[in-house]
């Protein structure tokens, strides 16, 4: 799956240390209170198995979490509000600014955008939109789009939703030349069971499922046809 540019990776990984507070998750908060930085966390199987496919499953889930856990670095900044939009700004190095903005919509949902300006590691940005996304009023669903460095070409998108029964589902897609080159789908159930599907160029490559105690099964595919299978404890 295509890699993100280095700057976006730094932003994504910086988020791992921050999550939303109760106040952040409250859709009924007063309009003069800033919204929480959007966040969602998927869980892989609760196992210490050394089986390579158990490890692969866990690492795939962790990679999904890197994407929605974006922008926590902005939690250290004091946001400003104007015309219904909240804005956080950081200048990690001289001459470079990251601006993250959230606009509240009439239904209580938010539209988000990350803009970069200045020079960072040899690249110069002028109002470049690195990320854009939306979250529902209750924070239980949303989407993100990431763009190739200094362009408006889509490089990845990510969506998640929570059902009325508490099932959390997420899909990540990577693009190259506007074509989906890889896809990951994850499901988390309220009882801590779950599933993972990994696609390559539109064909199922790997599948795994696990139950609440962390034990699981896996299946490997070639050209969409199952070739191998196994389990872990």
């Amino acid at each position: 799956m295509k890699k993100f540019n280095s700057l976006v990776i730094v932003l994504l990984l910086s988020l791992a240390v921050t999550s939303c507070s109760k106040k952040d998750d409250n859709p009924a908060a007063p309009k003069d209170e800033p919204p929480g930085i959007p966040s969602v966390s998927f869980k892989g199987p609760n196992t210490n198995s050394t089986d390579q496919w158990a490890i692969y499953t866990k690492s795939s889930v962790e990679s999904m979490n890197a994407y929605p856990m974006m922008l926590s670095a902005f939690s250290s900044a004091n946001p400003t509000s104007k015309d219904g939009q909240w804005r956080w700004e950081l200048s990690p190095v001289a001459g470079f600014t990251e601006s993250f903005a959230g606009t509240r919509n009439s239904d209580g949902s938010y539209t988000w955008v990350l803009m970069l300006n200045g020079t960072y590691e040899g690249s110069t940005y002028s109002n470049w939109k690195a990320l854009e996304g939306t979250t529902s009023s209750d924070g239980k669903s949303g989407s993100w789009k990431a763009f190739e460095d200094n362009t408006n070409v889509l490089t990845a998108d990510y969506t998640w939703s929570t059902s009325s029964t508490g099932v959390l589902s997420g899909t990540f897609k990577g693009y190259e030349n506007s074509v989906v080159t890889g896809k990951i789908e994850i499901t988390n159930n309220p009882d801590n069971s779950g599933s993972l599907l990994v696609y390559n160029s539109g064909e199922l490559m790997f599948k795994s499922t696990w139950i609440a105690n962390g034990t699981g099964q896996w299946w490997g595919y070639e050209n969409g046809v199952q070739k191998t299978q196994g389990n872990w404890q």
Side-chain angles (χ1 to χ4, degrees), residues 209-229:
T209 63
W210 58 91
I211 60 177
N213 68 4
T215 61
Q217 295 179 282
W218 60 266
W219 298 262
Y221 299 80
E222 291 182 14
N223 299 318
V225 179
Q226 180 188 324
K227 295 294 186 179
T228 56
Q229 68 180 90

Side-chain angles (χ1 to χ4, degrees), residues 7 10-11 14 73-74 76 88-99 114-121:
L7 176 59
V10 170
L11 290 169
S14 71
F74 287 97
S76 64
W88 296 255
E89 289 194 354
L90 292 174
S91 295
V93 297
F96 176 70
T97 301
E98 307 164 359
S99 177
L114 171 66
M115 306 291 291
L116 307 184
N117 279 283
T119 300
Y120 181 85
E121 293 189 347

Side-chain angles (χ1 to χ4, degrees), residues 20 23-26 29-38 79 84-88 100-104 108 110 112 135:
C20 294
K23 181 176 71 174
D24 293 338
D25 291 332
N26 179 9
K31 290 184 179 180
D32 59 351
E33 290 291 325
I37 302 296
Q85 182 185 82
W86 286 93
R87 185 181 299 273
W88 296 255
F100 183 54
T103 302
R104 189 178 190 276
Y110 273 86
W112 305 89
T135 53

Side-chain angles (χ1 to χ4, degrees), residues 1-123:
M1 193 170 292
K2 191 175 181 181
K3 293 182 178 179
F4 300 115
N5 64 77
S6 59
L7 176 59
V8 173
I9 290 175
V10 170
L11 290 169
L12 296 178
L13 296 181
S14 71
L15 264 134
V17 297
T18 300
S19 61
C20 294
S21 66
K22 279 190 176 181
K23 181 176 71 174
D24 293 338
D25 291 332
N26 179 9
K31 290 184 179 180
D32 59 351
E33 290 291 325
I37 302 296
S39 180
V40 62
S41 180
F42 287 91
K43 296 179 180 179
N46 182 22
T47 178
N48 294 318
S49 172
T50 57
D51 180 272
Q52 63 175 323
W53 299 115
I55 295 171
Y56 177 78
T57 296
K58 294 176 70 173
S59 64
S60 296
V61 174
E62 290 170 0
S63 71
M64 283 281 283
N65 283 337
Y67 211 94
M69 293 176 68
M70 289 179 289
L71 310 168
S72 67
F74 287 97
S75 63
S76 64
N78 292 320
T80 58
S81 177
K82 183 179 180 181
D83 298 329
Q85 182 185 82
W86 286 93
R87 185 181 299 273
W88 296 255
E89 289 194 354
L90 292 174
S91 295
V93 297
F96 176 70
T97 301
E98 307 164 359
S99 177
F100 183 54
T103 302
R104 189 178 190 276
N105 303 310
S106 59
D107 62 355
S109 64
Y110 273 86
T111 301
W112 305 89
V113 63
L114 171 66
M115 306 291 291
L116 307 184
N117 279 283
T119 300
Y120 181 85
E121 293 189 347
S123 296

Side-chain angles (χ1 to χ4, degrees), residues 118-164:
T119 300
Y120 181 85
E121 293 189 347
S123 296
T124 299
Y125 303 93
S126 178
N127 290 321
W128 176 56
K129 180 170 63 177
L131 297 166
E132 66 178 7
T134 62
T135 53
S136 61
S137 59
D138 60 8
K140 292 183 177 181
S141 64
S143 64
W144 288 102
K145 292 182 179 180
F147 302 94
E148 291 185 18
D149 196 19
N150 241 353
T151 76
N152 61 359
V153 177
L154 183 67
T155 191
D157 65 37
Y158 178 103
T159 61
W160 79 92
S161 63
T162 309
S163 73
S164 59

Side-chain angles (χ1 to χ4, degrees), residues 177-189:
N177 298 323
S178 301
V179 176
V180 177
T181 55
K183 182 172 71 169
I184 297 174
E185 296 179 349
I186 293 179
T187 300
N188 279 176
N189 300 310

